[in-house]
Amino acid sequence: MARTSPDTVPYRPKAGEIPTQPGVYRFRDATGRVLYVGKAQNLRARLSNYFAPLRSLHERTRRMVTTAASVEWTVVGSDVEALQLEYTWIKEFDPPFNVKFRDDKTYPFMAITLADEAPRVIVTRNTRIPGARYFGPYPKIWAVRETIELMVKAFPIRTCSDSSYKKAMQSGRPCFPGQIGRCGGPCSHKVTVEEHRAIVDDFVAFMAGGDNRFVTDVTRKMKEAAAEQRYEAAATYRDQLQALEAVLEKSAVVLSDNLDTDLFGVEHDELAAAVQQFIVRGGRIRGVRAWVVDKELDLTTAELVDSILQAAYDGTTVPPREIIVPELPEDKAELETWLGTRRDKGKVSLRTAQRGEKAALMQTARVNAMNALQLYKTRRSADFVARSQAMTDIQDALGMPDAPLRMECFDVSHLGGTNIVASMVVFEDGLPRKDQYRRFTIAESTDDTDSIHQVVTRRLAYLREGTERSESDSASKKFSYPPNLLVVDGGQPQVQAAARALRESGVEGIFLCGLAKRLEEIWLPDSDFPVILPRGSEALFMLQRLRDEAHRFAIIHQRTRRKRDIASVLGEIPGLGPSRVKRLLTHFGSVSQLRQAKPDAIAAVRGVGPGLAQTVYVHLHPDSAAPVAEPRR
């Protein structure tokens, strides 16, 4: 093992010990449980990212690395083998830090049991029927039943149970669905096993996207039968044609004819992601599939795409020739090869949509994913039972006498120790009270703990008895309602600073805790050990949302002040109007870059001459002599 510093983990291997070949790695905790499985084209290059200084890692990556007690790896022969082994191990070990998919099991499929002597069509959620061909998933079970009813009119295949089929074939009497015209299998004694298999093949081909061929063929047969005065046959073909057209009308025409593709829209934030899969066959949307993804690590869109495709094509669904994704993963070629092994014929191509109808459909999928993510968070937050359970769990975990009906959370934000601001957000009954959010500007501060102490002190000043503020002061009235729980963004040092402010204020009856980002642990004043809430619990979700809302509100305040400061700095320069300020900032990127520029560089900006450039330079450097800008020729 390599020598470690306090900012690294003790199990970090030496760089020379890690091979540079492709492979799969596993992080384990002290009990041996697999926490995370990942693949790499170069194991040494990939693993070095996890063993960077802890302070530089994303908070969720840092939590995984510090929770783990060891790392191991397996070298394989190719990148494709690495992808296959990663997929196998994720299925086997179910690592908690890998992407988790929710809600997928609720979707019904249409299945054709091709391994049977006389295949039948069924509605099922069982995706492990040997030899079955699946279509869908469908959003509702009635949608797949309605599609099957129409399809059986055009392609009369078996719908009866296996027991009914066996009894009918042994007795020589048609099955009951066959007697009433609801089953077209050999058990109806209208077709042979061979003829039925041909109809099944047509059924599958139509569902797979062969629309035009069947519509054209049935139309031709109908006209020929009518011309030959075989009117009963013509009526049968007419009914088949109407059934085919009814199926097609239920699928919106979105792309060119004969185009088969699956298109994935993805929208995500730090905690979760939503996925919308549009299943397009023959240029029509034949199915829509949606997932909500829990993100334990900080994954990019491209990394999410990798995990999403592995879950989408886990052996149940056959991938089409083309798959459109928002971003291409690094292992695009290997992923295409792996997907090709799950397709009977031909290769699979991963692409992004740049323009045209595919790009328009991708935007539609992304909007749907965005709405699904928002709906997931809103429903989870708005669920009264979940909120009540969350507040009860918080009360029990912190040892509070009452549930935290009003919670206030504070977060400090700064840019390299400058432009320090803070935010206070309020949750009542587990829901945000945005009208009571507050922003704070901190003029001077030694560090984050000092900033927390200042902000909490200022907030508690409104609760002190004998306040000198007027009863008509609207700010005083809105601050006068004391919280049950104060939450600060941070660990023990920040909690201690807030506790000191509480003691100095003399205010009693308010509980205090801090939510540390590294491991999402809860710190209490005068406690040597944190409180750990279960991952995925409603209590932790509520505290995370409270903390993240405070962070978001602080960042917005900081950006607003920064823009205002930039505008005020440049707006004071005579002759420099809004349009020229915009050109200067677009050209140089920031005021700090503009300060480093010489007058000649400033004068090169369109609309800024040597004289104005000289004025800008002098205003930004009041204590230095300005070099003279050369006139442009």
Side-chain angles (χ1 to χ4, degrees), residues 34-47:
V34 176
L35 298 177
Y36 183 72
V37 174
K39 66 180 181 306
Q41 296 177 346
N42 183 320
L43 283 167
R44 183 182 300 176
R46 175 59 60 87
L47 286 174

Side-chain angles (χ1 to χ4, degrees), residues 111-168:
I112 294 88
T113 58
L114 295 178
D116 293 347
E117 176 188 65
R120 65 173 178 147
V121 57
I122 58 174
V123 181
T124 182
R125 287 187 172 90
N126 178 12
T127 57
R128 299 181 181 275
I129 301 174
R133 178 71 184 271
Y134 292 89
F135 296 98
Y138 290 81
K140 301 291 181 182
I141 198 165
W142 59 262
V144 63
R145 292 191 188 281
E146 192 174 66
T147 301
I148 289 176
E149 184 177 349
L150 291 170
M151 285 295 297
V152 168
K153 290 180 180 178
F155 304 100
I157 66 173
R158 184 166 77 92
T159 58
C160 66
S161 66
D162 290 340
S163 59
S164 295
Y165 173 78
K166 184 177 181 181
K167 183 178 179 180

Side-chain angles (χ1 to χ4, degrees), residues 405-523:
L405 299 180
R406 179 182 171 99
M407 296 183 287
E408 297 177 0
C409 184
F410 297 85
D411 181 56
V412 175
S413 179
H414 59 83
L415 292 172
T418 64
N419 198 26
I420 306 173
V421 299
S423 67
M424 183 190 94
V425 301
V426 180
F427 274 29
E428 287 188 352
D429 295 329
L431 296 174
R433 284 292 305 271
K434 295 190 177 183
D435 61 314
Q436 298 190 25
Y437 286 14
R438 290 294 178 269
R439 301 184 179 96
F440 301 87
T441 300
I442 302 171
E444 294 183 3
S445 177
T446 56
D447 55 24
D448 280 354
T449 58
D450 183 45
S451 300
I452 286 289
H453 178 267
Q454 289 188 43
V455 173
V456 175
T457 299
R458 289 162 62 180
R459 190 272 173 270
L460 295 174
Y462 290 89
L463 298 177
R464 288 202 302 264
E465 293 182 3
T467 178
E468 297 178 357
R469 298 180 187 272
S470 169
E471 289 298 327
S472 62
D473 187 346
S474 61
S476 179
K477 286 184 178 180
K478 290 185 177 180
F479 272 3
S480 63
Y481 182 35
N484 302 97
L485 177 64
L486 282 181
V487 182
V488 295
D489 179 17
Q492 230 174 3
Q494 288 76 17
V495 174
Q496 293 294 342
R500 181 161 52 91
L502 264 173
R503 289 193 302 269
E504 293 170 355
S505 71
V507 177
E508 298 180 351
I510 298 178
F511 269 70
L512 169 69
C513 74
L515 183 60
K517 292 181 180 179
R518 188 170 71 89
L519 293 173
E520 303 290 47
E521 70 265 25
I522 300 170
W523 287 95

Side-chain angles (χ1 to χ4, degrees), residues 151-397:
M151 285 295 297
V152 168
K153 290 180 180 178
F155 304 100
I157 66 173
R158 184 166 77 92
T159 58
C160 66
S161 66
D162 290 340
S163 59
S164 295
Y165 173 78
K166 184 177 181 181
K167 183 178 179 180
M169 297 302 285
Q170 289 177 344
S171 65
R173 296 181 58 189
C175 65
F176 178 71
Q179 295 175 30
I180 61 176
R182 299 273 181 136
C183 181
C187 49
S188 68
H189 300 294
K190 296 178 181 179
V191 293
T192 65
V193 171
E194 293 74 18
E195 290 171 338
H196 179 261
R197 175 65 69 168
I199 299 173
V200 169
D201 291 342
D202 288 344
F203 186 112
V204 172
F206 181 85
M207 288 301 302
D211 303 343
N212 291 337
R213 175 169 65 88
F214 290 103
V215 171
T216 302
D217 187 48
V218 173
T219 302
R220 177 183 55 79
K221 290 180 179 179
M222 179 184 69
K223 291 179 177 179
E224 289 178 352
E228 297 171 1
Q229 298 184 352
R230 292 184 293 111
Y231 298 118
E232 290 186 4
T236 300
Y237 291 132
R238 179 202 61 201
D239 294 341
Q240 291 180 356
L241 182 61
Q242 289 175 348
L244 292 177
E245 290 175 343
V247 172
L248 295 179
E249 286 174 1
K250 294 182 179 298
S251 303
V253 179
V254 291
L255 298 175
S256 303
D257 289 343
N258 301 321
L259 181 62
D260 297 345
T261 185
D262 282 357
L263 187 144
F264 291 86
V266 181
E267 183 70 15
H268 63 105
D269 60 15
E270 291 184 351
L271 297 176
V275 183
Q276 289 279 327
Q277 178 187 1
F278 286 1
I279 302 168
V280 181
R281 298 295 182 268
R284 301 169 186 269
I285 296 179
R286 291 297 183 82
V288 177
R289 195 177 190 181
W291 298 278
V292 175
V293 180
D294 286 334
K295 290 175 58 180
E296 289 294 342
L297 300 183
D298 182 31
L299 302 178
T300 64
T301 301
E303 290 169 333
L304 272 174
V305 165
D306 201 311
S307 299
I308 288 166
L309 295 182
Q310 290 186 45
Y313 305 108
D314 60 354
T316 300
T317 306
V318 178
R321 290 187 296 269
E322 179 185 69
I323 299 174
I324 301 175
V325 294
E327 291 184 19
L328 294 174
E330 291 183 359
D331 58 343
K332 170 181 176 291
E334 293 76 23
L335 198 54
E336 287 177 335
T337 302
W338 180 79
L339 289 168
T341 64
R342 279 154 169 71
R343 179 176 171 80
D344 297 334
K345 299 178 182 178
K347 58 183 292 187
V348 175
S349 174
L350 285 181
R351 298 176 182 174
T352 58
Q354 301 297 331
R355 61 183 65 86
E357 55 189 5
K358 294 180 183 178
L361 185 59
M362 173 60 80
Q363 178 61 22
T364 301
R366 181 178 175 275
V367 170
N368 278 272
M370 189 187 322
N371 293 337
L373 180 61
Q374 185 63 36
L375 182 61
Y376 165 73
K377 294 201 160 192
T378 301
R379 282 181 173 173
R380 187 170 179 181
S381 301
D383 187 324
F384 177 77
V385 175
R387 293 203 322 270
S388 300
Q389 185 63 50
M391 289 187 287
T392 300
D393 291 346
I394 293 172
Q395 176 187 352
D396 294 341

Side-chain angles (χ1 to χ4, degrees), residues 523-535:
W523 287 95
L524 302 176
D526 305 321
S527 176
D528 295 331
F529 300 98
V531 176
I532 304 297
L533 291 174
R535 291 293 302 173

